[in-house]
Amino acid sequence: MVHGKTTTIKLILGLQSITSGKVTINGYDIEKEFTHAIKKVGAIVENPDMYMYLSGYQNLKLVANLYKGITKERIDEVVKLVKLENRIHDKVSKYSLGMRQRLGIAQAILHEPNLLILDEPTNGLDPEGIKEMRELLVDLATKEKMAILISSHNLAELDNFCTKVCIIKNGEVIETSEISEIKKETSQDLQLFEVNDVNLVKNIIKDITVIDNHRFKINVSKEKVPEMIEKLVENKIKIYEVKQEEKTLEDAFFEKTGGNVIE
């Protein structure tokens, strides 16, 4: 049994005792073969640790000393990857939160891990910082061939770039699957209409959900849409747009958990 996102991450990283179950990373048991299991793992749990009075580069050099064989070239390569070239010699105290997060990731990937574990990486970031973080993580996954495990409350953000999801409810894993699959499983035939006047539609079609004066939703199959359009046109209602409403990860989450608080 697990409790929440951060606890799960601590269990995976061997930072907390496992009472039941097993964690295997790259084929090694985290409890029995900790050194081998953790060797190719990078992680940031809660906030990245760094010395604020040192420069970004000095912080990276300190972390590099903890590993064998990390060259100056590797440090420079990582700086470029996280796009901190222009500010790497400034003191960390002058960095924005987004820059500190990127420096934290640079520290975590110095030893070329094949698994990166991040706890709430976009927490507290402004929209620009979130966008930069998303682009960086996509780059690491695609160009560096790195698996990335992210814990987050921000489901809309995860929907943008994650491929798989694991949902925890009351300390139990209730779903692990591809995001596209979970959205498909919970999807309904929900059609979104934009018209000149929703009030006129109410008298013609039953069971509509009014969004505003010009838009309404209705749960009907795609095959029934032409029939509805015909009915509305016959009644002199102008139709500006009709589209199938896509289920979001957040919608799917609440359907799976019955509206439970996100853990």
Side-chain angles (χ1 to χ4, degrees), residues 126-144:
D126 60 18
E128 183 61 30
I130 291 172
K131 180 175 175 284
E132 287 171 358
M133 181 59 64
R134 181 172 66 231
E135 288 169 354
L136 169 59
L137 296 180
V138 169
D139 272 357
L140 292 176
T142 53
K143 296 174 186 171
E144 299 294 299

Side-chain angles (χ1 to χ4, degrees), residues 196-208:
N196 61 323
D197 190 345
V198 165
N199 291 316
L200 298 174
V201 178
K202 286 181 194 172
N203 306 321
I204 303 157
I205 298 169
K206 289 177 184 176
D207 303 323
I208 68 168

Side-chain angles (χ1 to χ4, degrees), residues 48 50 56 82-88 90-92 94-106 125 129 132-133 136:
M50 50 194 67
V82 300
K83 296 182 171 67
L84 278 176
E85 307 100 295
N86 298 332
R87 299 290 303 277
I88 198 63
D90 292 356
K91 282 187 178 179
V92 172
K94 294 180 181 176
Y95 282 13
S96 67
L97 185 59
M99 288 165 69
R100 277 180 222 161
Q101 284 287 71
R102 282 186 280 145
L103 182 63
I105 287 175
L125 298 185
E132 287 171 358
M133 181 59 64
L136 169 59

Side-chain angles (χ1 to χ4, degrees), residues 19 64 79 122 154 157 211 244:
T19 50
V79 169
T122 58
N154 193 337
E157 189 51 45
I211 300 169
Q244 187 158 18

Side-chain angles (χ1 to χ4, degrees), residues 19-32:
T19 50
S20 65
K22 188 166 85 164
V23 174
T24 306
I25 303 174
N26 291 320
Y28 297 103
D29 187 307
I30 196 77
E31 289 186 293
K32 296 174 185 166

Side-chain angles (χ1 to χ4, degrees), residues 79-175:
V79 169
K80 202 171 176 185
L81 267 174
V82 300
K83 296 182 171 67
L84 278 176
E85 307 100 295
N86 298 332
R87 299 290 303 277
I88 198 63
H89 295 291
D90 292 356
K91 282 187 178 179
V92 172
S93 57
K94 294 180 181 176
Y95 282 13
S96 67
L97 185 59
M99 288 165 69
R100 277 180 222 161
Q101 284 287 71
R102 282 186 280 145
L103 182 63
I105 287 175
Q107 292 176 336
I109 64 172
L110 271 173
H111 61 302
E112 299 183 61
N114 58 17
L115 171 63
L116 178 63
I117 298 176
L118 304 172
D119 188 13
E120 299 281 4
T122 58
N123 230 7
L125 298 185
D126 60 18
E128 183 61 30
I130 291 172
K131 180 175 175 284
E132 287 171 358
M133 181 59 64
R134 181 172 66 231
E135 288 169 354
L136 169 59
L137 296 180
V138 169
D139 272 357
L140 292 176
T142 53
K143 296 174 186 171
E144 299 294 299
K145 307 295 180 203
M146 207 178 283
I148 303 175
L149 173 64
I150 299 168
S151 89
S152 181
H153 276 96
N154 193 337
L155 297 181
E157 189 51 45
L158 295 182
D159 208 351
N160 279 326
F161 65 97
C162 286
T163 52
K164 291 183 180 177
V165 67
C166 173
I167 297 173
I168 299 171
K169 177 183 176 179
N170 297 332
E172 298 281 356
V173 174
I174 62 162
E175 180 73 38

